[in-house]
Amino acid sequence: MSEKENNSQKQRPESFRPSTVSLGLAFGALLMAGLCGDFFAGAPAAIIGLAFGIIGLYQSKKNKEKAVNAAPSIYGIVINSLLILMAVAFFNSHNHIHTREHAYRILCAANLRELGIAIHFYANDNNQNYPSVNNWCELLIESNYIPEKALVCRSGEEARCHYAINLNIKPNSPYDVVLLFETKGGWNQFGGPEILTFENHKGKGCNVLFNDGSVRFVKPQEVGELKWGVQESTNVTNARMPGNDKELEYWLKNMVWYHRFTNKEIRAATRLTEKEIIAAKENFNIRTDNRPKRAVDVPLLVMPYPGGRHPRIGFLDGAIDPQRETKFSVFTPWDANSYVVVDVPEAIWSNLGLTYLAHTHIDTIWTKQGIELPKLEWNSRADGTLDIERKLPNGIAFGVKVKPTKEAVDMELWLKNGTNQKLSDLRIQNCVMTKMAAGFEQQTNDNKVLTNPYVACRDSDGRRWIITAWENCNNPWGNDKCPCFHSDPKFPDLEPGQMHRLHGWLSFYVGTNIKGEFGRIEATGWQKK
């Protein structure tokens, strides 16, 4: 070795050893992977560390210092190599998951295209009528238009069908009106945006079939642009304009997050223009995909019903301009997007005649006199309780209190005779409408069990139930056209100045022993609360 080379080696910093750098980078790569929860994050450091390890091993062999320097180099090479292999495996596994999800999305879209062809073939064979929304799945399968597997989205939870038909679709509807769309598992499901789901595709969107046979993957922020048909009338005669920004934010959250209204339905409820609705949603950051998650083990969700969407499917001429101040929504415990609309009281009859009606149908004692009752709103309390009170022009007053619990919704209806004469034949109609509860949309009374005071309605699978009851029930019944069901109570005769209270119940049940469930509810003593 020359004197110059010898001096150069003496001047080289002893701390710079490639083997040490390799080992340090290996531990650094491990640290980055741990902090990021991603082996790919440590890959660059591992690759550099592997290079330094190879250099260090080469130098140790060249300088014959294996006993001193080879071990750190070998450790660095082994650790960095393992990290690189794990990063590659991590990348491939994520890429595989993404590829599988994309493939399922394509298969789901193919299902909808096949269903669209089947529905149009059905229409050609049936005088240009689409299959009935009540049993559209059976009609397509039993007539061999499609195999049953075409009703299943591979990325959804296990179920017979993951699609629903638009309640308002007709063969002559415009080409861009929704025909079928993704929903949670069920059978013969129909409705609108209230039962549409993004959960089948990890919240990224859902496939929608339009009336012209085209299919599009719709993102959550695009749902408001979908067209649903005849119920999107811009009739705003029964709308209620929010009084200030606080009210506007409250009702937008109510309508978008929970009731999943389209912009046109929001307009029908608020009288706002499309431009104002879009601007307000952006201002308050209200979208269908950013609804707050509810805590577990909390009371049932109860909210004032906002109007703007008719709560009935049929018999609409029997409920024109339904008023929202008597109506509240109770969301099902098994599906955050499904709810029933409860109307308390829908009507009050007395010896005076029809004393109150929560919509327009037949004349009340007030409409006969040309008297229009003022519009009211529910009081929403911090504990989730709702209450309201109305005084009629002749002094009769009534009020409702709704209190959600984990088990059920407790209801109280009171009535006070503020007239100077005795009131008798005080019959009440309290209605539970199931249009917006997935699986309960069937227009039939075959799915109802009447055991005074209990009335229960089961879903299309026969295991989920909605139950209501009222103290002093005078008439348990169901209306297949709406569809709805009633446990209608009767007040005792009231002398002038006298007041009486009646208690009501609404709950949900999963099982097959409905009579046993009636017995369990009875044992709670709800009528005495």
Side-chain angles (χ1 to χ4, degrees):
M1 181 182 297
S2 67
E3 184 178 347
K4 186 176 181 179
E5 288 174 331
N6 189 46
N7 290 337
S8 175
Q9 286 224 351
K10 286 180 182 179
Q11 292 170 6
R12 180 181 298 162
E14 193 64 26
S15 61
F16 181 78
R17 295 177 181 271
S19 57
T20 305
V21 174
S22 175
L23 204 54
L25 285 170
F27 288 119
L30 277 172
L31 180 62
M32 281 189 285
L35 290 173
C36 298
D38 184 348
F39 280 109
F40 207 68
I47 292 170
I48 298 171
L50 177 62
F52 273 104
I54 294 170
I55 293 170
L57 185 62
Y58 173 77
Q59 285 187 349
S60 66
K61 287 182 178 181
K62 181 179 178 181
N63 296 327
K64 303 187 184 302
E65 296 175 357
K66 294 181 183 178
V68 178
N69 292 328
S73 296
I74 292 169
Y75 292 150
I77 291 170
V78 171
I79 295 172
N80 285 306
S81 297
L82 287 173
L83 283 170
I84 293 168
L85 289 173
M86 283 188 278
V88 171
F90 182 85
F91 175 79
N92 286 337
S93 66
H94 274 244
N95 191 50
H96 173 70
I97 291 171
H98 175 76
T99 302
R100 183 179 61 189
E101 290 177 357
H102 186 68
Y104 283 166
R105 185 190 301 180
I106 294 172
L107 289 172
C108 177
N111 283 349
L112 284 172
R113 289 190 185 92
E114 185 176 356
L115 286 167
I117 294 170
I119 288 173
H120 283 93
F121 277 149
Y122 179 95
N124 289 335
D125 294 340
N126 291 273
N127 299 315
Q128 296 306 309
N129 291 312
Y130 280 170
S132 167
V133 295
N134 289 305
N135 60 339
W136 67 274
C137 291
E138 280 99 345
L139 290 174
L140 294 179
I141 291 171
E142 291 172 3
S143 300
N144 296 317
Y145 288 101
I146 53 161
E148 188 167 339
K149 66 180 182 180
L151 296 168
V152 177
C153 175
R154 292 282 298 276
S155 57
E157 60 184 20
E158 186 175 350
R160 290 182 70 187
C161 178
H162 293 101
Y163 307 111
I165 192 167
N166 177 10
L167 174 64
N168 304 310
I169 193 65
K170 305 292 181 187
N172 61 352
S173 295
Y175 72 95
D176 55 350
V177 170
V178 173
L179 173 52
L180 293 177
F181 56 95
E182 287 192 71
T183 188
K184 290 189 175 181
W187 192 247
N188 289 325
Q189 294 189 87
F190 61 86
E194 70 277 358
I195 62 170
L196 179 146
T197 187
F198 308 113
E199 295 180 14
N200 294 342
H201 301 287
K202 314 298 182 185
K204 296 177 181 178
C206 69
N207 283 306
V208 174
L209 170 71
F210 297 92
N211 204 34
D212 64 353
S214 64
V215 176
R216 180 160 66 91
F217 190 75
V218 176
K219 296 178 181 179
Q221 62 269 26
E222 298 171 338
V223 170
E225 302 169 7
L226 294 175
K227 298 180 180 179
W228 297 89
V230 296
Q231 283 197 332
E232 294 178 70
S233 164
T234 55
N235 174 20
V236 293
T237 57
N238 198 28
R240 305 192 185 188
M241 180 77 78
N244 51 52
D245 280 352
K246 185 177 180 181
E247 287 185 10
L248 175 59
E249 181 179 11
Y250 170 81
W251 284 112
L252 281 178
K253 288 178 177 177
N254 177 301
M255 289 184 276
V256 176
W257 279 352
Y258 299 97
H259 291 96
R260 299 169 73 85
F261 273 21
T262 64
N263 287 349
K264 289 188 177 180
E265 288 172 322
I266 295 172
R267 184 186 176 193
T270 63
R271 203 178 284 112
L272 295 170
T273 66
E274 180 92 3
K275 186 176 181 180
E276 289 171 330
I277 293 167
I278 293 171
K281 288 199 292 188
E282 290 179 354
N283 180 43
F284 297 120
N285 191 29
I286 299 172
R287 307 186 311 275
T288 55
D289 63 339
N290 67 349
R291 177 175 66 186
K293 288 187 177 180
R294 296 197 79 219
V296 297
D297 199 32
V298 294
L300 293 167
L301 179 60
V302 171
M303 305 190 80
Y305 188 63
R309 174 193 291 161
H310 205 297
R312 294 183 179 184
I313 294 172
F315 192 37
L316 301 184
D317 56 344
I320 301 168
D321 289 341
Q323 301 300 313
R324 74 186 187 189
E325 59 259 38
T326 60
K327 297 170 183 62
F328 59 92
S329 302
V330 183
F331 289 78
T332 66
W334 48 72
D335 179 5
N337 295 326
S338 287
Y339 58 93
V340 294
V341 177
V342 185
D343 202 355
V344 180
E346 180 186 13
I348 300 176
W349 294 83
S350 73
N351 58 302
L352 304 176
L354 182 53
T355 309
Y356 177 78
L357 186 62
H359 50 255
T360 301
H361 180 209
I362 57 177
D363 277 334
T364 67
I365 60 176
W366 310 116
T367 58
K368 288 179 180 179
Q369 301 175 59
I371 298 175
E372 183 176 347
L373 301 180
K375 294 177 179 179
L376 305 178
E377 299 287 4
W378 289 97
N379 297 309
S380 298
R381 309 302 179 183
D383 62 353
T385 300
L386 302 178
D387 61 80
I388 196 167
E389 179 178 336
R390 179 183 285 279
K391 188 172 183 179
L392 299 173
N394 63 354
I396 295 175
F398 62 90
V400 181
K401 183 178 180 181
V402 181
K403 182 180 180 181
T405 69
K406 296 176 185 178
E407 179 185 26
V409 176
D410 295 327
M411 298 174 284
E412 179 186 271
L413 171 63
W414 59 265
L415 192 148
K416 183 177 181 179
N417 183 0
T419 73
N420 58 5
Q421 58 181 309
K422 180 180 178 179
L423 292 177
S424 60
D425 197 23
L426 288 163
R427 292 170 288 120
I428 309 297
Q429 281 187 203
N430 293 329
C431 183
V432 180
M433 292 169 278
T434 59
K435 169 185 170 181
M436 270 67 85
F440 294 86
E441 315 95 330
Q442 287 73 24
Q443 291 173 288
T444 178
N445 280 332
D446 294 339
N447 61 353
K448 298 175 180 67
V449 176
L450 313 179
T451 305
N452 194 329
Y454 300 100
V455 182
C457 179
R458 67 174 177 268
D459 72 351
S460 54
D461 288 336
R463 287 188 53 82
R464 290 174 172 169
W465 297 80
I466 304 169
I467 304 167
T468 193
W470 277 89
E471 180 184 7
N472 201 26
C473 175
N474 178 61
N475 185 25
W477 62 289
N479 184 319
D480 59 335
K481 303 300 181 186
C482 292
C484 65
F485 56 98
H486 294 243
S487 173
D488 289 343
K490 186 176 182 180
F491 278 94
D493 295 350
L494 296 178
E495 297 291 342
Q498 192 175 5
M499 183 174 75
H500 191 81
R501 298 177 186 272
L502 294 174
H503 296 92
W505 172 281
L506 189 139
S507 63
F508 303 92
Y509 168 66
V510 179
T512 56
N513 185 9
I514 191 62
K515 294 295 179 71
E517 178 65 5
F518 290 163
R520 187 197 68 80
I521 295 171
E522 186 72 18
T524 66
W526 62 272
Q527 300 179 27
K528 306 298 181 183
K529 292 181 180 179

